[in-house]
């Protein structure tokens, strides 16, 4: 790290270093969970149905290089060169694709967790509202008697 460099460059170097050290070990993220359907309060059936569909359909991306043999790779002198060239070009494309897919997976995960947390908060608020309504009804009934 260069002490004479601007602070933002030093921070960017630290981020880049951490990102290269902490690469994804696998293309399969942990299973997605969300708050279960409440049994004690009313809930929006469509919301939970959409949440379940989202959990089932968030994609897991395959990010490995797979090249099929072609007739060009069978050529005696040029076959090896053609294979190396294909592998190199595909690796470049795969590098940028993987980078974009990793970002998209992080966005998907963050959005999913946000929806799950908001749903859990909504459940808590609904329970509080019901408890307050019951207290208000009891207080109103006590005052009317």
């Amino acid at each position: 790290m260069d002490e004479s460099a601007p602070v933002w460059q030093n921070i960017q170097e630290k981020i880049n270093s951490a990102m290269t050290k902490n690469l994804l070990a696998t293309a399969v993220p942990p299973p997605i969970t969300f708050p279960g359907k409440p049994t004690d309060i009313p809930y929006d059936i469509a919301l939970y149905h959409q949440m379940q569909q989202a959990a089932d359909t968030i994609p897991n991306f395959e990010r490995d290089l797979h090249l099929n043999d072609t007739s060009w790779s069978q050529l005696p002198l040029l076959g090896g060169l053609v294979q190396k060239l294909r592998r190199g070009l595909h690796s470049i494309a795969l590098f940028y694709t993987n980078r974009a897919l990793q970002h998209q997976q992080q966005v998907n995960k963050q959005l999913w967790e946000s929806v799950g947390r908001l749903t859990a908060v909504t459940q808590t608020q609904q329970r509080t509202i019901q408890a307050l309504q019951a207290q208000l009804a009891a207080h109103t009934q006590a005052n009317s008697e």
Side-chain angles (χ1 to χ4, degrees):
M1 195 162 50
D2 185 14
E3 294 296 326
S4 63
V7 173
W8 66 269
Q9 285 181 340
N10 293 335
I11 293 171
Q12 186 64 45
E13 286 177 20
K14 287 180 182 180
I15 291 171
N16 291 341
S17 173
M19 288 178 72
T20 56
K21 289 178 186 174
N22 300 317
L23 294 176
L24 288 178
T26 177
V28 180
I32 295 172
T33 58
F34 59 91
K37 295 178 184 176
T39 56
D40 58 335
I41 57 174
Y43 63 91
D44 184 1
I45 295 172
L47 171 68
Y48 285 90
H49 177 71
Q50 289 172 339
M51 289 175 70
Q52 184 61 52
Q53 281 185 321
D56 294 340
T57 59
I58 289 179
N60 296 321
F61 300 106
E62 184 176 329
R63 297 186 294 247
D64 294 329
L65 181 62
H66 296 290
L67 292 177
N68 296 331
D69 285 336
T70 64
S71 58
W72 287 95
S73 63
Q74 305 299 325
L75 293 175
L77 296 176
L78 296 176
L81 181 62
V82 168
Q83 278 297 96
K84 284 183 181 182
L85 183 63
R86 283 183 69 216
R87 184 172 301 282
L89 290 174
H90 280 82
S91 293
I92 290 170
L94 190 62
F95 169 78
Y96 289 106
T97 302
N98 285 343
R99 207 162 88 175
L101 290 176
Q102 285 176 335
H103 173 72
Q104 187 60 50
Q105 281 180 322
Q106 290 173 350
V107 168
N108 289 350
K109 183 179 180 220
Q110 292 297 324
L111 290 173
W112 178 253
E113 288 177 1
S114 297
V115 169
R117 285 187 180 129
L118 288 172
T119 303
V121 167
T122 303
Q123 288 177 359
T124 303
Q125 289 175 343
Q126 185 64 34
R127 288 182 181 100
T128 303
I129 289 170
Q130 283 187 335
L132 291 172
Q133 286 174 336
Q135 287 177 3
L136 181 62
H139 182 68
T140 305
Q141 185 179 15
N143 285 344
S144 66
E145 292 176 355

